[in-house]
Protein backbone atom coordinates (compact mmCIF):
# COMPACT_ATOMS: atom_id res chain seq x y z
CA UNK A 1 0.00 0.00 0.00
CA UNK A 2 1.28 3.48 -0.85
CA UNK A 3 2.23 6.02 1.78
CA UNK A 4 -0.63 8.21 0.57
CA UNK A 5 -3.13 5.39 1.10
CA UNK A 6 -1.84 4.62 4.58
CA UNK A 7 -2.03 8.34 5.46
CA UNK A 8 -5.62 8.55 4.22
CA UNK A 9 -6.62 5.53 6.30
CA UNK A 10 -4.93 6.99 9.38
CA UNK A 11 -6.76 10.30 8.87
CA UNK A 12 -10.07 8.45 8.53
CA UNK A 13 -9.40 6.57 11.77
CA UNK A 14 -8.62 9.80 13.57
CA UNK A 15 -11.83 11.37 12.31
CA UNK A 16 -13.80 8.36 13.50
CA UNK A 17 -12.16 8.40 16.95
CA UNK A 18 -14.38 9.92 19.63
CA UNK A 19 -13.49 13.42 20.78
CA UNK A 20 -12.38 13.80 24.42
CA UNK A 21 -15.56 15.68 25.31
CA UNK A 22 -17.71 12.94 23.77
CA UNK A 23 -15.74 10.27 25.61
CA UNK A 24 -16.23 12.07 28.92
CA UNK A 25 -19.94 12.38 28.24
CA UNK A 26 -20.26 8.68 27.46
CA UNK A 27 -18.31 7.70 30.59
CA UNK A 28 -20.45 10.05 32.69
CA UNK A 29 -23.66 8.60 31.29
CA UNK A 30 -22.51 5.02 31.83
CA UNK A 31 -21.45 5.73 35.40
CA UNK A 32 -24.66 7.55 36.23
CA UNK A 33 -26.84 4.88 34.63
CA UNK A 34 -24.95 2.19 36.55
CA UNK A 35 -25.39 4.14 39.77
CA UNK A 36 -29.12 4.46 39.09
CA UNK A 37 -29.50 0.71 38.50
CA UNK A 38 -27.56 -0.18 41.65
CA UNK A 39 -29.49 2.28 43.82
CA UNK A 40 -32.90 1.21 42.51
CA UNK A 41 -32.03 -2.48 42.98
CA UNK A 42 -30.79 -1.81 46.53
CA UNK A 43 -33.92 0.20 47.38
CA UNK A 44 -36.26 -2.46 46.01
CA UNK A 45 -34.45 -5.15 48.01
CA UNK A 46 -34.34 -3.04 51.17
CA UNK A 47 -37.99 -2.00 51.07
CA UNK A 48 -39.44 -5.16 49.49
CA UNK A 49 -41.40 -2.89 47.18
CA UNK A 50 -45.01 -3.96 46.66
CA UNK A 51 -45.87 -3.44 42.99
CA UNK A 52 -49.59 -3.29 43.75
CA UNK A 53 -48.90 -0.46 46.19
CA UNK A 54 -46.82 1.31 43.56
CA UNK A 55 -49.21 0.93 40.61
CA UNK A 56 -52.67 0.86 42.18
CA UNK A 57 -52.92 4.55 43.07
CA UNK A 58 -55.99 6.73 43.46
CA UNK A 59 -55.19 9.93 41.55
CA UNK A 60 -56.50 13.19 43.05
CA UNK A 61 -56.49 15.82 40.28
CA UNK A 62 -57.07 18.78 42.61
CA UNK A 63 -53.81 18.18 44.45
CA UNK A 64 -51.92 17.64 41.20
CA UNK A 65 -53.25 20.93 39.85
CA UNK A 66 -52.09 22.59 43.07
CA UNK A 67 -48.64 21.09 42.53
CA UNK A 68 -48.47 22.38 38.94
CA UNK A 69 -49.52 25.91 39.91
CA UNK A 70 -47.08 25.90 42.83
CA UNK A 71 -44.23 24.81 40.59
CA UNK A 72 -44.95 27.66 38.19
CA UNK A 73 -44.75 29.99 41.20
CA UNK A 74 -41.40 28.36 42.09
CA UNK A 75 -40.08 29.10 38.61
CA UNK A 76 -41.11 32.75 38.85
CA UNK A 77 -39.56 33.25 42.29
CA UNK A 78 -36.38 31.45 41.21
CA UNK A 79 -36.13 33.88 38.30
CA UNK A 80 -36.71 36.81 40.68
CA UNK A 81 -33.92 35.57 42.94
CA UNK A 82 -31.46 35.31 40.06
CA UNK A 83 -32.34 38.84 38.99
CA UNK A 84 -31.94 40.16 42.53
CA UNK A 85 -28.52 38.52 42.97
CA UNK A 86 -27.34 39.77 39.57
CA UNK A 87 -27.92 43.39 40.56
CA UNK A 88 -25.02 44.41 38.29
CA UNK A 89 -27.22 43.72 35.23
CA UNK A 90 -29.46 46.74 34.52
CA UNK A 91 -32.39 44.80 33.11
CA UNK A 92 -35.96 44.67 34.42
CA UNK A 93 -37.49 42.39 31.80
CA UNK A 94 -38.44 39.10 33.49
CA UNK A 95 -38.58 37.13 30.25
CA UNK A 96 -34.88 36.28 30.10
CA UNK A 97 -34.66 35.48 33.80
CA UNK A 98 -37.64 33.10 33.58
CA UNK A 99 -36.09 31.33 30.59
CA UNK A 100 -32.80 30.83 32.44
CA UNK A 101 -34.57 29.65 35.61
CA UNK A 102 -36.74 26.97 33.99
CA UNK A 103 -34.10 25.63 31.58
CA UNK A 104 -31.48 25.43 34.31
CA UNK A 105 -33.92 23.72 36.69
CA UNK A 106 -34.88 21.15 34.04
CA UNK A 107 -31.27 20.33 33.12
CA UNK A 108 -30.38 20.09 36.80
CA UNK A 109 -33.12 17.51 37.22
CA UNK A 110 -32.16 15.50 34.14
CA UNK A 111 -28.38 15.60 33.71
CA UNK A 112 -26.21 13.34 35.90
CA UNK A 113 -23.46 14.11 38.41
CA UNK A 114 -24.58 17.76 38.85
CA UNK A 115 -23.52 18.64 35.30
CA UNK A 116 -26.81 20.49 34.92
CA UNK A 117 -25.43 23.21 37.18
CA UNK A 118 -22.94 24.19 34.47
CA UNK A 119 -25.82 25.12 32.17
CA UNK A 120 -26.46 28.18 34.32
CA UNK A 121 -23.14 29.73 33.26
CA UNK A 122 -23.89 29.23 29.56
CA UNK A 123 -27.49 30.42 29.88
CA UNK A 124 -26.50 33.58 31.74
CA UNK A 125 -23.84 34.28 29.14
CA UNK A 126 -26.35 33.85 26.34
CA UNK A 127 -29.36 35.60 27.85
CA UNK A 128 -27.66 38.36 29.85
CA UNK A 129 -24.00 38.48 28.85
CA UNK A 130 -22.89 37.65 32.38
CA UNK A 131 -19.29 36.70 33.23
CA UNK A 132 -18.44 33.13 34.22
CA UNK A 133 -17.12 34.11 37.64
CA UNK A 134 -20.21 36.09 38.56
CA UNK A 135 -22.53 33.28 37.45
CA UNK A 136 -20.62 30.69 39.49
CA UNK A 137 -20.68 32.88 42.59
CA UNK A 138 -24.40 33.58 42.23
CA UNK A 139 -25.05 29.87 41.83
CA UNK A 140 -23.04 29.12 44.98
CA UNK A 141 -24.88 31.80 46.96
CA UNK A 142 -28.23 30.45 45.71
CA UNK A 143 -27.38 26.97 46.98
CA UNK A 144 -26.35 28.37 50.37
CA UNK A 145 -29.66 30.21 50.62
CA UNK A 146 -31.44 26.96 49.73
CA UNK A 147 -29.77 25.12 52.61
CA UNK A 148 -30.46 28.00 54.97
CA UNK A 149 -34.17 28.26 54.13
CA UNK A 150 -34.83 24.51 54.00
CA UNK A 151 -33.41 23.88 57.45
CA UNK A 152 -35.12 26.93 58.93
CA UNK A 153 -38.41 25.48 57.66
CA UNK A 154 -37.51 22.07 59.02
CA UNK A 155 -36.63 23.50 62.42
CA UNK A 156 -39.92 25.43 62.54
CA UNK A 157 -42.05 22.39 61.66
CA UNK A 158 -40.25 19.83 63.82
CA UNK A 159 -42.52 20.40 66.88
CA UNK A 160 -45.57 19.62 64.72
CA UNK A 161 -44.29 16.17 63.72
CA UNK A 162 -42.28 15.26 66.83
CA UNK A 163 -44.81 12.59 67.78
CA UNK A 164 -44.11 10.54 64.65
CA UNK A 165 -40.43 11.39 64.26
CA UNK A 166 -38.08 8.43 64.20
CA UNK A 167 -35.17 10.28 65.83
CA UNK A 168 -35.01 12.33 69.07
CA UNK A 169 -36.41 15.81 68.35
CA UNK A 170 -33.45 17.40 70.13
CA UNK A 171 -31.00 15.66 67.83
CA UNK A 172 -32.95 16.73 64.74
CA UNK A 173 -33.14 20.32 65.97
CA UNK A 174 -29.41 20.34 66.68
CA UNK A 175 -28.64 19.11 63.18
CA UNK A 176 -30.87 21.82 61.69
CA UNK A 177 -29.18 24.53 63.76
CA UNK A 178 -25.76 23.24 62.68
CA UNK A 179 -26.60 23.47 58.97
CA UNK A 180 -28.20 26.92 59.44
CA UNK A 181 -25.11 28.19 61.22
CA UNK A 182 -22.76 26.75 58.59
CA UNK A 183 -24.77 28.32 55.75
CA UNK A 184 -24.73 31.74 57.42
CA UNK A 185 -20.98 31.53 58.02
CA UNK A 186 -20.32 30.58 54.39
CA UNK A 187 -22.51 33.40 53.11
CA UNK A 188 -20.69 35.88 55.35
CA UNK A 189 -17.25 34.50 54.52
CA UNK A 190 -17.56 34.23 50.73
CA UNK A 191 -16.08 37.59 49.79
CA UNK A 192 -13.38 37.58 52.52
CA UNK A 193 -12.30 34.11 51.32
CA UNK A 194 -11.97 35.30 47.70
CA UNK A 195 -10.10 38.42 48.85
CA UNK A 196 -7.77 36.27 50.98
CA UNK A 197 -7.02 33.99 48.01
CA UNK A 198 -6.30 37.03 45.85
CA UNK A 199 -3.89 38.36 48.50
CA UNK A 200 -2.01 35.07 48.59
CA UNK A 201 -1.65 35.03 44.81
CA UNK A 202 -0.42 38.63 44.74
CA UNK A 203 2.24 37.88 47.35
CA UNK A 204 3.28 34.62 45.71
CA UNK A 205 3.38 35.95 42.15
CA UNK A 206 3.87 39.75 42.10
CA UNK A 207 2.70 41.60 39.01
CA UNK A 208 6.20 42.86 38.22
CA UNK A 209 7.61 39.32 38.10
CA UNK A 210 4.74 37.69 36.23
CA UNK A 211 3.14 39.79 33.49
CA UNK A 212 -0.56 39.44 32.78
CA UNK A 213 0.13 37.55 29.56
CA UNK A 214 1.33 34.50 31.52
CA UNK A 215 -0.90 31.86 33.13
CA UNK A 216 -0.11 33.15 36.62
CA UNK A 217 -0.91 36.67 35.55
CA UNK A 218 -4.25 35.55 34.14
CA UNK A 219 -5.04 33.77 37.41
CA UNK A 220 -4.21 36.91 39.33
CA UNK A 221 -6.38 38.97 36.99
CA UNK A 222 -9.35 36.61 37.34
CA UNK A 223 -9.09 36.56 41.12
CA UNK A 224 -8.99 40.35 41.14
CA UNK A 225 -12.21 40.35 39.15
CA UNK A 226 -13.77 37.79 41.50
CA UNK A 227 -13.10 40.07 44.47
CA UNK A 228 -15.44 42.62 42.93
CA UNK A 229 -17.93 40.01 41.71
CA UNK A 230 -18.16 38.41 45.16
CA UNK A 231 -19.87 41.54 46.45
CA UNK A 232 -23.32 39.94 46.35
CA UNK A 233 -25.39 42.29 48.50
CA UNK A 234 -25.63 46.04 48.17
CA UNK A 235 -26.94 46.49 51.72
CA UNK A 236 -28.93 44.78 54.46
CA UNK A 237 -32.22 45.42 52.70
CA UNK A 238 -30.91 43.68 49.60
CA UNK A 239 -29.92 40.63 51.67
CA UNK A 240 -33.36 40.55 53.31
CA UNK A 241 -35.01 40.80 49.89
CA UNK A 242 -33.05 37.80 48.56
CA UNK A 243 -33.77 35.90 51.77
CA UNK A 244 -37.51 36.63 51.44
CA UNK A 245 -37.59 35.57 47.78
CA UNK A 246 -35.80 32.34 48.71
CA UNK A 247 -38.34 31.71 51.45
CA UNK A 248 -41.21 32.23 49.00
CA UNK A 249 -39.58 29.92 46.47
CA UNK A 250 -39.21 27.11 49.00
CA UNK A 251 -42.75 27.62 50.23
CA UNK A 252 -43.83 26.93 46.67
CA UNK A 253 -41.59 23.87 46.43
CA UNK A 254 -42.92 22.37 49.65
CA UNK A 255 -46.48 22.95 48.44
CA UNK A 256 -45.47 21.28 45.16
CA UNK A 257 -44.20 18.22 47.07
CA UNK A 258 -47.35 18.23 49.20
CA UNK A 259 -49.57 18.36 46.09
CA UNK A 260 -47.65 15.59 44.32
CA UNK A 261 -47.67 13.19 47.26
CA UNK A 262 -51.35 13.69 48.05
CA UNK A 263 -52.23 13.83 44.35
CA UNK A 264 -50.84 10.33 43.88
CA UNK A 265 -52.69 9.04 46.93
CA UNK A 266 -50.09 9.30 49.71
CA UNK A 267 -51.79 11.12 52.56
CA UNK A 268 -49.38 13.49 54.30
CA UNK A 269 -49.65 16.85 56.01
CA UNK A 270 -47.76 19.95 54.93
CA UNK A 271 -45.51 19.89 58.04
CA UNK A 272 -44.82 16.21 57.36
CA UNK A 273 -43.95 17.06 53.76
CA UNK A 274 -41.45 19.70 54.87
CA UNK A 275 -39.64 17.37 57.27
CA UNK A 276 -40.00 14.26 55.11
CA UNK A 277 -38.55 15.93 52.03
CA UNK A 278 -35.24 16.79 53.72
CA UNK A 279 -33.64 13.58 52.46
CA UNK A 280 -34.70 14.30 48.88
CA UNK A 281 -33.50 17.92 49.14
CA UNK A 282 -30.06 16.81 50.35
CA UNK A 283 -29.89 14.13 47.65
CA UNK A 284 -30.54 16.90 45.14
CA UNK A 285 -27.36 18.76 46.09
CA UNK A 286 -25.01 15.78 46.17
CA UNK A 287 -22.48 15.63 43.31
CA UNK A 288 -23.13 11.90 42.80
CA UNK A 289 -26.70 12.03 41.54
CA UNK A 290 -27.56 9.50 38.88
CA UNK A 291 -29.12 10.13 35.48
CA UNK A 292 -32.32 12.16 36.03
CA UNK A 293 -31.73 11.69 39.76
CA UNK A 294 -33.10 8.14 39.52
CA UNK A 295 -32.25 6.25 42.67
CA UNK A 296 -30.77 9.15 44.62
CA UNK A 297 -34.05 11.05 44.85
CA UNK A 298 -36.00 7.93 45.70
CA UNK A 299 -33.46 7.06 48.41
CA UNK A 300 -33.80 10.53 49.90
CA UNK A 301 -37.59 10.37 49.93
CA UNK A 302 -37.57 6.85 51.35
CA UNK A 303 -35.32 7.76 54.28
CA UNK A 304 -37.14 11.00 54.98
CA UNK A 305 -40.63 9.48 54.91
CA UNK A 306 -39.55 6.49 56.98
CA UNK A 307 -38.50 8.95 59.70
CA UNK A 308 -42.13 10.08 59.76
CA UNK A 309 -43.48 6.56 60.23
CA UNK A 310 -44.12 5.52 56.62
CA UNK A 311 -43.75 1.83 55.85
CA UNK A 312 -40.60 1.07 53.81
CA UNK A 313 -42.46 -0.01 50.72
CA UNK A 314 -44.91 2.89 50.90
CA UNK A 315 -42.07 5.39 51.42
CA UNK A 316 -40.28 4.16 48.28
CA UNK A 317 -43.51 4.18 46.25
CA UNK A 318 -44.20 7.74 47.39
CA UNK A 319 -40.66 8.75 46.44
CA UNK A 320 -40.99 7.24 42.97
CA UNK A 321 -44.26 9.03 42.23
CA UNK A 322 -43.12 12.33 43.69
CA UNK A 323 -39.89 12.26 41.70
CA UNK A 324 -41.74 11.33 38.50
CA UNK A 325 -44.15 14.22 38.98
CA UNK A 326 -41.34 16.71 39.62
CA UNK A 327 -39.43 15.48 36.56
CA UNK A 328 -42.52 15.95 34.40
CA UNK A 329 -43.17 19.48 35.69
CA UNK A 330 -39.55 20.60 35.34
CA UNK A 331 -39.20 19.05 31.86
CA UNK A 332 -42.37 20.69 30.54
CA UNK A 333 -41.46 24.13 31.87
CA UNK A 334 -37.87 23.70 30.72
CA UNK A 335 -39.04 22.81 27.21
CA UNK A 336 -41.25 25.90 27.11
CA UNK A 337 -38.33 28.02 28.28
CA UNK A 338 -35.97 26.53 25.71
CA UNK A 339 -38.35 27.07 22.79
CA UNK A 340 -38.99 30.60 24.00
CA UNK A 341 -35.28 31.32 24.37
CA UNK A 342 -34.34 30.05 20.92
CA UNK A 343 -36.97 32.27 19.32
CA UNK A 344 -36.42 35.49 21.25
CA UNK A 345 -32.85 35.55 22.63
CA UNK A 346 -30.20 37.67 20.89
CA UNK A 347 -26.83 36.26 19.94
CA UNK A 348 -24.66 35.27 22.95
CA UNK A 349 -22.48 38.37 23.14
CA UNK A 350 -21.25 39.70 26.43
CA UNK A 351 -22.82 43.02 27.37
CA UNK A 352 -20.64 43.43 30.44
CA UNK A 353 -17.07 44.69 30.58
Amino acid sequence: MSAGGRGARRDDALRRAPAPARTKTIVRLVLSAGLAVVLVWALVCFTKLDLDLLLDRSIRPGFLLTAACSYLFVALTRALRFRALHHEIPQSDMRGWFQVAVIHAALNQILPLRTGEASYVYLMRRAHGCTVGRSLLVLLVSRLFDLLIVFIYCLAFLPLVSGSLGVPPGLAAGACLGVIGAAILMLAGLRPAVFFAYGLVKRRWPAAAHPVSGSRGRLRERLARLVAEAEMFRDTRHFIAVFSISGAMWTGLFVTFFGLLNGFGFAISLPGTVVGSIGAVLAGVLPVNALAGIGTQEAGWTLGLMLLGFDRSEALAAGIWSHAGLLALSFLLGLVGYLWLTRTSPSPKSRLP
Side-chain angles (χ1 to χ4, degrees):
M1 182 182 292
S2 66
R6 287 195 298 269
R9 290 184 61 184
R10 184 168 58 250
D11 291 342
D12 290 339
L14 288 173
R15 281 194 294 269
R16 289 194 299 269
R22 188 184 305 171
T23 303
K24 289 180 181 178
T25 300
I26 293 173
V27 170
R28 193 179 292 123
L29 288 173
V30 170
L31 287 176
S32 60
L35 177 62
V37 171
V38 170
L39 283 172
V40 170
W41 176 79
L43 284 170
V44 170
C45 293
F46 172 71
T47 61
K48 297 180 174 58
L49 178 63
D50 185 349
L51 289 179
D52 290 334
L53 180 64
L54 176 66
L55 300 177
D56 188 16
R57 307 308 311 166
S58 56
I59 305 300
R60 305 165 76 181
F63 281 104
L64 294 179
L65 180 61
T66 299
C69 293
S70 297
Y71 195 72
L72 179 60
F73 174 77
V74 169
L76 291 171
T77 49
R78 183 178 281 125
L80 279 172
R81 185 171 71 172
F82 284 149
R83 186 175 70 167
L85 286 171
H86 282 283
H87 56 80
E88 79 283 2
I89 300 178
Q91 181 175 336
S92 59
D93 183 12
M94 277 294 295
R95 180 187 63 190
W97 298 103
F98 181 81
Q99 293 165 350
V100 169
V102 296
I103 297 172
H104 173 245
L107 292 176
N108 229 3
Q109 288 285 333
I110 296 170
L111 296 181
L113 307 177
R114 311 313 306 167
T115 51
E117 293 283 27
S119 67
Y120 180 74
V121 176
Y122 168 78
L123 291 166
M124 285 302 300
R125 187 78 174 174
R126 171 166 181 164
H128 300 288
C130 189
T131 62
V132 172
R134 181 67 176 184
S135 295
L136 290 175
L137 288 171
V138 165
L139 197 57
L140 174 60
V141 168
S142 299
R143 293 295 168 255
L144 291 175
F145 267 106
D146 289 341
L147 285 175
L148 178 62
I149 296 296
V150 164
F151 281 89
I152 287 176
Y153 263 110
C154 187
L155 184 64
F157 282 110
L158 272 177
L160 301 179
V161 297
S162 58
S164 58
L165 206 59
V167 297
L171 178 62
C176 290
L177 288 171
V179 175
I180 291 169
I184 292 174
L185 285 175
M186 285 187 281
L187 282 171
L190 177 62
R191 189 165 189 268
V194 174
F195 188 80
F196 178 73
Y198 176 55
L200 289 179
V201 169
K202 280 203 304 182
R203 287 194 294 271
R204 179 67 178 83
W205 300 316
H210 302 282
V212 174
S213 58
S215 60
R216 294 171 179 176
R218 287 194 297 272
L219 173 62
R220 187 176 57 247
E221 187 180 63
R222 289 172 183 172
L223 279 174
R225 193 168 190 170
L226 280 179
V227 170
E229 291 173 335
E231 189 66 66
M232 284 291 155
F233 307 107
R234 290 170 294 191
D235 49 38
T236 304
R237 286 185 299 177
H238 183 216
F239 179 89
I240 293 173
V242 175
F243 179 87
S244 301
I245 294 170
S246 300
M249 186 191 81
W250 274 99
T251 299
L253 267 172
F254 287 131
V255 173
T256 301
F257 296 155
F258 171 77
L260 288 173
L261 288 170
N262 284 279
F264 290 122
F266 300 97
I268 189 172
S269 65
L270 185 57
T273 302
V274 172
V275 178
S277 65
I278 287 294
V281 170
L282 291 177
V285 300
L286 292 175
V288 292
N289 66 311
L291 183 65
I294 296 172
T296 48
Q297 282 290 302
E298 284 75 10
W301 275 111
T302 301
L303 294 175
L305 293 175
M306 283 175 59
L307 287 176
L308 291 174
F310 273 61
D311 175 76
R312 292 181 182 184
S313 186
E314 185 182 20
L316 177 56
I320 291 172
W321 279 107
S322 177
H323 186 206
L326 192 62
L327 277 176
L329 290 174
S330 62
F331 176 79
L332 288 174
L333 267 184
L335 181 60
V336 170
Y338 172 75
L339 294 175
W340 193 3
L341 178 66
T342 54
R343 294 189 61 180
T344 61
S345 178
S347 58
K349 294 180 180 178
S350 176
R351 295 188 290 272
L352 295 178

